[in-house]
Amino acid sequence: MKLLIDADSPLYRAGCANETRSYLCTHGGHLVEEFQYKKDAVAYATEHGCDIEKHKEAGAVGLSLHNLRQCVKSMLSIEHDSYEMYTGGVGNFRYDYFKEYKGTRDPFDKPIHMKQMKKHLQAKYGAIPVDGEEVDDKVSYRQVQCIAEGIESCIVTNDKDLDNTMGWHRNWVKGETYYLTAEQADLNFHRQLLTGDWSVDGIPGLKGVGGVTAAKILPEYSDNMLDIVKEEYFNRGHDIEYLTMNGIMLWMRRKPDEIWSPNE
């Protein structure tokens, strides 16, 4: 089996495990209180009229690299005869269609040793930088290519977005291996068109529609799923352009340079 590894998925886990983060409540430039969690700092600052400053420190880079190797060891723990490993490069076509893409992410959450960890993945494991698109896109269409060529492959990640792609999957964090048919993958994608992915990537979808509601609207695979999704969008006052933007953001490419369209 060939493993198709999303090597971006362990970077935050490995890096953040070697960092201490805190939220400082200040008044007039002077420290008043310090909190480990943002919600506690916000509550205190709101009550006492303070400003909030973010602070973080990282341990030695060697510990971050050690953590990363442990993550990769877990990713490679299932039986395989080869692997392809990919990590994020520069550029992403999605910003051409939606400037607010990933706008909900806080730069503060990016590990301090991110650059060194990416270099380590490339030097030790042969990780290949992916430019112009997501690592998710790359492993997704590589899986489709492998299936077409009769090569048994498995996507290794802990990113739920890749459940929009058929074939074998390995959630290396949960230690779960599972298989998705083309129909199951398509159903997952159309449900995500309804929910969006606001908390992670800032993709709005339909306001107030979560996973439970999406499953009620689309309880099972059918040939008219897109028509049902369109009707939900139109009934809530959205146009085809809004649907198209959400689809482009959420679709994991199944062939290189693919741009999703509701007309195909």
Side-chain angles (χ1 to χ4, degrees):
M1 175 178 283
K2 179 189 291 290
L3 303 184
L4 304 172
I5 299 176
D6 168 12
D8 272 356
S9 64
L11 288 170
Y12 281 83
R13 181 175 292 267
C16 293
N18 187 31
E19 294 179 357
T20 301
R21 303 179 178 210
S22 59
Y23 297 85
L24 312 179
C25 289
T26 64
H27 191 276
H30 300 288
L31 176 64
V32 179
E33 288 287 349
E34 181 175 356
F35 296 91
Q36 182 180 0
Y37 300 107
K38 183 178 180 179
K39 62 181 181 62
D40 296 330
V42 170
Y44 184 90
T46 301
E47 181 180 354
H48 295 88
C50 296
D51 297 318
I52 298 177
E53 298 179 9
K54 301 172 183 177
H55 177 75
K56 65 178 179 179
E57 296 179 354
V61 66
L63 182 54
S64 293
L65 299 182
H66 169 77
N67 293 341
L68 184 60
R69 288 191 293 270
Q70 293 301 112
C71 290
V72 173
K73 183 178 179 181
S74 295
M75 301 178 94
L76 294 172
S77 63
I78 63 171
E79 186 175 348
H80 64 281
D81 50 38
S82 63
Y83 70 82
E84 298 174 10
M85 182 179 289
Y86 298 97
T87 188
V90 296
N92 188 332
F93 73 92
R94 287 176 176 81
Y95 290 107
D96 295 335
Y97 296 89
F98 184 49
K99 300 300 182 184
E100 290 78 22
Y101 181 58
K102 294 190 176 181
T104 56
R105 295 194 179 186
D106 190 340
F108 179 70
D109 294 332
K110 184 177 181 179
I112 293 172
H113 296 317
M114 177 70 85
K115 185 176 181 179
Q116 295 96 319
M117 289 191 293
K118 281 191 175 184
K119 286 185 176 180
H120 188 68
L121 287 174
Q122 294 168 22
K124 184 173 179 63
Y125 301 101
I128 302 171
V130 175
D131 296 331
E133 60 186 357
E134 303 271 5
V135 171
D136 293 353
D137 293 305
K138 184 71 175 186
V139 297
S140 176
Y141 65 72
R142 281 295 297 128
Q143 175 110 305
V144 175
Q145 289 171 341
C146 285
I147 292 172
E149 296 168 8
I151 300 171
E152 188 177 36
S153 63
C154 179
I155 292 173
V156 182
T157 187
N158 65 327
D159 191 336
K160 62 178 176 55
D161 292 342
L162 279 160
D163 283 350
N164 295 346
T165 305
M166 67 285 284
W168 285 105
H169 292 254
R170 172 72 174 180
N171 184 317
W172 65 275
V173 175
K174 296 181 178 180
E176 298 175 351
T177 303
Y178 55 96
Y179 186 87
L180 294 173
T181 66
E183 290 77 13
Q184 289 171 323
D186 286 346
L187 176 59
N188 289 338
F189 169 70
H190 285 86
R191 285 176 175 173
Q192 199 171 27
L193 279 176
L194 297 169
T195 65
D197 193 5
W198 178 258
S199 62
V200 178
D201 289 332
I203 304 169
L206 295 178
K207 186 177 181 179
V209 177
V212 174
T213 301
K216 290 180 179 178
I217 296 170
L218 295 173
E220 60 185 12
Y221 174 86
S222 68
D223 292 333
N224 66 332
M225 290 188 298
L226 184 55
D227 292 333
I228 295 172
V229 170
K230 286 180 179 179
E231 184 177 2
E232 287 292 329
Y233 269 73
F234 298 157
N235 287 344
R236 294 166 184 262
H238 299 296
D239 57 22
I240 195 68
E241 286 76 20
Y242 182 74
L243 169 61
T244 302
M245 180 275 293
N246 277 279
I248 291 172
M249 296 301 104
L250 294 165
W251 180 254
M252 296 293 99
R253 285 176 160 173
R254 297 184 182 177
K255 57 184 178 181
D257 302 320
E258 183 179 30
I259 301 296
W260 184 84
S261 169
N263 301 316
E264 295 180 0

